[in-house]
Amino acid sequence: MKNGHKSTQVVQSLDRALNLLEKLVEAEEPVGVTELSQSLSLHKSTVHRLLSTLCYRGYVEQDVKSNNYTVGLKLFEIGSSVLHKMDLRSKVKPYLEELMRETKETIHLGILDDYEVVYIDKVESSEVIRMYSKIGRRVPTHCTSLGKILLAYSPEEVTDQMIEQKELTYYTETTITDPVELKKHLEMVKEQGYSIDDEEQERDIRCIAGPVFDYDGKIMAAFSISGPVTRMTEERVQKLSQLVVDYSGRISASFGYKK
């Protein structure tokens, strides 16, 4: 253990697999089973089992010529994804803060993960009455402004798979639970460039969201303005729609996106 304290909750096989991965990451060239066995103080058969599983999952690859092992592309994919999200948050944060100051409402930044929305950042409203949320929270896609804008600009098969794997749960009288109606609604969202959650997930809460595109024109995230219906009236939401479209263009441009 890196911190010098071995927790009683540690799963031994996982701990060994991670130690093995770290050895391969540190190595400048592919490493053999014997060397790994000695450096980790593990039996060769144990090392073989761990390597077989890691190879199956793409975290480790076997060199064809030497039969030794090195890290696989899966680790690079994960590392790139983490760095990408860190860069995304730091780059978008000033815009979120500016948008909160302009609207006085809670601003969220979310991404699509496993057909759900994950909040990866937020700027809290300065008002006393505000929407409850926290970074890391997962919310459904079919009834949230973030989810609908993320689906609208994703390939159609993403929506199909979401409908197949996730239930279109009913939350309020305005929740869209019919797949055909949802798809039609998403077409409208894409046309107008923003989405509205009209008390679809939570009563008394309205949200409006816009997309964040990368340099290649692919949606990478979405941001939203959320607040109670007492402030987020239908008239105000319509006025905020142009603000959302403007910020969507500005934020996306910072990633190299051009219309």
Side-chain angles (χ1 to χ4, degrees):
M1 296 293 288
K2 296 283 188 240
N3 59 10
H5 301 286
K6 186 134 183 173
S7 168
T8 55
Q9 300 298 311
V10 168
V11 178
Q12 188 183 57
S13 57
L14 180 57
D15 190 44
R16 287 174 171 176
L18 292 173
N19 283 337
L20 190 154
L21 272 178
E22 288 174 2
K23 285 289 181 186
L24 293 177
V25 169
E26 291 167 5
E28 294 182 359
E29 55 186 29
V31 186
V33 173
T34 301
E35 186 180 340
L36 287 168
S37 172
Q38 291 172 349
S39 63
L40 294 170
S41 300
L42 293 174
H43 197 279
K44 283 186 181 181
S45 61
T46 302
V47 173
H48 267 298
R49 286 197 301 271
L50 293 173
L51 287 169
S52 295
T53 302
L54 291 168
C55 282
Y56 171 71
R57 293 298 301 270
Y59 289 96
V60 169
E61 293 177 357
Q62 188 172 24
D63 183 70
V64 179
K65 293 181 179 179
S66 65
N67 287 328
N68 290 343
Y69 295 86
T70 187
V71 290
L73 288 176
K74 190 70 175 178
L75 276 181
F76 292 103
E77 287 174 17
I78 291 174
S80 297
S81 177
V82 170
L83 289 173
H84 173 73
K85 287 172 185 174
M86 287 172 67
D87 181 54
L88 172 66
R89 287 183 61 185
S90 61
K91 212 164 200 175
V92 176
K93 188 76 167 184
Y95 295 99
L96 304 185
E97 292 172 341
E98 185 181 319
L99 193 53
M100 191 284 290
R101 287 193 296 271
E102 197 164 342
T103 64
K104 302 292 190 291
E105 303 296 351
T106 297
I107 313 299
H108 290 103
L109 182 66
I111 58 170
L112 196 62
D113 182 68
D114 192 26
Y115 309 112
E116 293 178 322
V117 178
V118 180
Y119 293 143
I120 62 170
D121 206 353
K122 70 175 286 194
V123 180
E124 195 77 69
S125 168
S126 57
E127 299 289 342
V128 176
I129 300 172
R130 54 199 178 203
M131 177 185 174
Y132 167 76
S133 63
K134 61 180 180 179
I135 296 172
R137 182 187 177 192
R138 287 178 174 268
V139 293
T141 51
H142 71 288
C143 59
T144 57
S145 61
L146 287 171
K148 290 191 290 183
I149 201 76
L150 286 164
L151 287 177
Y153 285 98
S154 293
E156 192 176 347
E157 54 263 32
V158 174
T159 301
D160 292 334
Q161 290 165 2
M162 184 278 293
I163 291 169
E164 186 180 327
Q165 296 188 30
K166 305 285 183 181
E167 192 176 342
L168 301 184
T169 305
Y170 172 95
Y171 290 96
T172 73
E173 293 79 6
T174 55
T175 306
I176 300 174
T177 56
D178 178 71
V180 176
E181 186 184 347
L182 177 63
K183 286 187 175 184
K184 188 176 179 181
H185 180 78
L186 293 176
E187 287 176 11
M188 180 195 72
V189 165
K190 190 172 183 180
E191 274 183 32
Q192 64 191 19
Y194 63 88
S195 63
I196 296 171
D197 167 3
D198 187 13
E199 301 183 77
E200 294 166 47
Q201 188 201 7
E202 294 182 55
R203 287 183 179 84
D204 303 321
I205 295 291
R206 280 200 185 99
C207 313
I208 179 169
V212 177
F213 299 111
D214 65 13
Y215 67 94
D216 210 21
K218 294 177 182 175
I219 190 164
M220 58 194 298
F223 65 96
S224 67
I225 306 170
S226 306
V229 295
T230 51
R231 292 197 304 269
M232 295 285 282
T233 62
E234 291 181 18
E235 293 77 17
R236 188 180 181 219
V237 166
Q238 288 305 317
K239 288 180 181 178
L240 288 173
S241 64
Q242 188 53 55
L243 187 65
V244 166
V245 171
D246 290 344
Y247 269 84
S248 172
R250 288 173 58 196
I251 297 170
S252 299
S254 72
F255 289 97
Y257 171 70
K258 295 178 181 178
K259 281 191 176 182

